[in-house]
Amino acid sequence: MIWNFSAIRAKTFAFLPVLEGTIPTIKLTGTGDAEAMPPLDRFLKLVHKDLVDDRRGAVAVDLTGLYFINSSCLKAFVSWIHKVKTAERGYQIRLQMNPRLSWQRRSLEPLKRLAPKVVVLEEVSTPEAEAVRPMGR
């Protein structure tokens, strides 16, 4: 059974395990700021444990509703990716980006370079992603 933990919700962000589809998915929405870093770090550790325990080959990470991420939250992703890369039995992390948020590609491309066999970047066009307008445009 995948996802042995609950969603984390706060005023400015949410981290949700999604229980549909063929690949387990986690959805991150809102802003990945200083307030989000400690719960994000805990959340990613729980995700890793569940994926390893269930011997999953991949996870999708839906970032289409994530409007901002700071360097501390990116570091949590770096730690997670390193853990997967060096694990005895790793898995693929499919980062699903919103093409309307140009910062996502700039910020996530280095994660792919960190572990090209682990990280896959995917642009996803969904009604939710299409509704997002970058600030200042």
Side-chain angles (χ1 to χ4, degrees), residues 3-28:
W3 304 148
N4 297 310
F5 56 91
S6 300
I8 297 174
R9 297 175 195 270
K11 186 182 267 188
T12 60
F13 61 86
F15 310 136
L16 313 161
V18 179
L19 299 172
E20 57 191 44
T22 57
I23 296 176
T25 301
I26 57 174
K27 184 177 183 99
L28 281 63

Side-chain angles (χ1 to χ4, degrees), residues 9-57:
R9 297 175 195 270
K11 186 182 267 188
T12 60
F13 61 86
F15 310 136
L16 313 161
V18 179
L19 299 172
E20 57 191 44
T22 57
I23 296 176
T25 301
I26 57 174
K27 184 177 183 99
L28 281 63
T29 61
T31 57
D33 56 14
E35 182 183 336
M37 196 308 200
L40 175 63
D41 191 48
R42 284 191 310 275
F43 185 78
L44 294 177
K45 287 176 182 171
L46 293 170
V47 166
H48 180 71
K49 180 181 180 335
D50 274 13
L51 291 166
V52 169
D53 288 351
D54 282 358
R55 299 180 160 275
R56 296 293 177 142

Side-chain angles (χ1 to χ4, degrees), residues 3 26 41 43-53 55-61 75-95 111-112 114-120:
W3 304 148
I26 57 174
D41 191 48
F43 185 78
L44 294 177
K45 287 176 182 171
L46 293 170
V47 166
H48 180 71
K49 180 181 180 335
D50 274 13
L51 291 166
V52 169
D53 288 351
R55 299 180 160 275
R56 296 293 177 142
V59 63
V61 182
K75 185 179 178 207
F77 274 93
V78 169
S79 296
W80 178 37
I81 291 165
H82 178 73
K83 190 180 289 188
V84 174
K85 181 180 176 180
T86 58
E88 184 177 317
R89 180 171 163 76
Y91 49 88
Q92 188 177 66
I93 300 171
R94 305 178 73 81
L95 299 177
L111 299 180
K112 179 173 178 46
L114 174 69
K117 292 181 181 178
V118 173
V119 177
V120 174

